[in-house]
């Protein structure tokens, strides 16, 4: 059911895509969260945003040898979209001007189970 919602949101947002659009900052991400009357971790736009990022990360993890491993734990354990959204919102003030994707990557650095020491 969540997949259908994410796909529907992505299809509805596709006409808004502009090649010159700038990246979503954490302030913008947080503003979307706080403008929602529903639980922000269930917001379809944020779920589509994070879901797309997770798909990209999983693809890069599976298909490339030139990137450092981003996560080592099982994706079923880590790819919990509402948990990731809450993680990102909790850090929105710390990373206000940063690209929201960088905070998503920070989630995997902190909770992904890879020790790069």
């Amino acid at each position: 059911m969540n997949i259908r919602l994410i796909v529907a949101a992505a299809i509805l947002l596709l006409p808004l895509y502009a090649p010159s659009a700038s990246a979503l900052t954490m302030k913008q991400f947080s503003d979307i969260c706080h403008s929602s009357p529903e639980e922000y971790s269930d917001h379809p736009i944020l779920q589509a945003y994070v879901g797309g990022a997770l798909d990209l990360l999983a693809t890069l993890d599976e298909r490339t040898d030139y990137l450092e491993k981003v996560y080592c734990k099982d994706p079923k354990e880590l790819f919990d979209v509402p948990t990731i959204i809450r993680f990102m919102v909790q850090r929105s003030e710390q990373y206000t001007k940063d690209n929201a994707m960088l905070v998503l990557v920070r989630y995997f650095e902190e909770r992904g189970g890879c020790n790069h020491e």
Side-chain angles (χ1 to χ4, degrees):
M1 184 185 320
N2 285 337
I3 300 292
R4 289 183 193 164
L5 183 61
I6 292 170
V7 170
I11 290 171
L12 291 173
L13 293 173
L14 189 59
L16 300 176
Y17 171 74
S20 63
S22 59
L24 187 66
T25 66
M26 272 311 300
K27 169 132 180 45
Q28 293 166 323
F29 187 92
S30 180
D31 288 347
I32 292 169
C33 288
H34 298 302
S35 69
S36 176
E38 58 196 35
E39 170 62 33
Y40 63 81
S41 62
D42 294 330
H43 195 287
I45 292 174
L46 298 178
Q47 288 208 348
Y49 181 80
V50 171
L54 294 176
D55 188 39
L56 176 62
L57 278 176
T59 300
L60 290 174
D61 185 61
E62 292 172 6
R63 302 287 179 179
T64 61
D65 296 330
Y66 58 88
L67 294 176
E68 184 176 330
K69 196 126 179 88
V70 178
Y71 60 90
C72 298
K73 289 183 181 175
D74 189 310
K76 291 178 186 177
E77 181 181 345
L78 288 173
F79 285 34
D80 180 351
V81 173
T83 299
I84 295 169
I85 292 172
R86 284 190 291 274
F87 176 93
M88 292 174 73
V89 169
Q90 289 171 353
R91 284 148 183 83
S92 62
E93 287 187 31
Q94 182 181 1
Y95 298 102
T96 302
K97 295 181 181 180
D98 290 337
N99 184 318
M101 285 295 156
L102 295 174
V103 181
L104 184 134
V105 170
R106 173 72 60 199
Y107 169 85
F108 284 95
E109 289 174 344
E110 290 183 20
R111 301 197 181 170
C114 296
N115 295 324
H116 299 294
E117 300 170 3

